[in-house]
Amino acid sequence: MPEESNEHPDMHKGSCLCGAVEYEVTGPIGDITLCHCTMCRKEHGAPFGAYAPVRWENFQVVHGENKLKRYRSSADITRTFCSECGSTLQFIRDERPGFGLAVATLDTDLHRVPNAQIFTKYKSSWWPLHDNPPAHEEWPPPRS
């Protein structure tokens, strides 16, 4: 699907691979983080998962809510995906005001690059790390 123009920086559209689930984000999307943990790698079928935080009040499924399935991957984390094509859509941590959006499902461009790589101690042996974005073996240090 070709990328759509995004005239308003806080308005984004996205969808799964087959188009059964379509969503809109009508507020800011946070910094992109690449997660190399084992669960994110397996969920994405890739060397890392790419997520950015979105607040719940800024997110709406506009088509295919009935195709959005949930998987409880650990005690406090739920992941959502399309039941038709399997596309990963969200990383939801309990007790948070938002969730991690799988940014590769966006149909509009964020016009930015990832700002961090996390859990690199679990990275795939066949994937080389680079200096940019900064890599952290676990969580990055808190921002000042």
Side-chain angles (χ1 to χ4, degrees):
M1 176 182 287
E3 289 185 3
E4 297 177 12
S5 107
N6 186 19
E7 296 184 19
H8 190 281
D10 288 341
M11 174 59 174
H12 291 277
K13 294 182 180 201
S15 59
C16 62
L17 176 63
C18 71
V21 178
E22 296 175 0
Y23 64 84
E24 290 181 349
V25 179
T26 56
I29 296 176
D31 291 335
I32 301 169
T33 299
L34 308 179
C35 183
H36 292 267
C37 82
T38 304
M39 282 196 266
C40 285
R41 289 189 293 111
K42 286 185 177 280
E43 179 188 33
H44 286 267
F48 48 79
Y51 295 100
V54 170
R55 296 187 67 86
W56 282 110
E57 62 266 22
N58 297 331
F59 180 83
Q60 179 181 2
V61 175
V62 295
H63 180 73
E65 180 88 40
N66 63 326
K67 299 294 184 184
L68 193 61
K69 300 299 178 193
R70 296 175 174 269
Y71 172 68
R72 189 77 165 176
S73 62
S74 54
D76 67 338
I77 296 171
T78 300
R79 299 165 188 266
T80 68
F81 60 95
C82 172
S83 63
E84 293 293 317
C85 65
S87 292
T88 297
L89 296 163
Q90 298 165 303
F91 174 94
I92 304 164
R93 185 180 299 273
D94 294 350
E95 310 301 323
R96 293 277 174 104
F99 62 91
L101 176 68
V103 294
T105 63
L106 284 167
D107 297 325
T108 52
D109 195 340
L110 277 179
H111 301 289
R112 67 178 95 135
V113 297
N115 74 321
Q117 299 180 78
I118 59 173
F119 294 101
T120 58
K121 71 180 184 180
Y122 302 107
K123 77 168 197 65
S124 296
S125 61
W126 50 267
W127 185 260
L129 287 179
H130 303 285
D131 293 335
N132 197 6
H136 306 277
E137 286 196 354
E138 293 189 358
W139 292 108
R143 292 183 183 176
S144 320

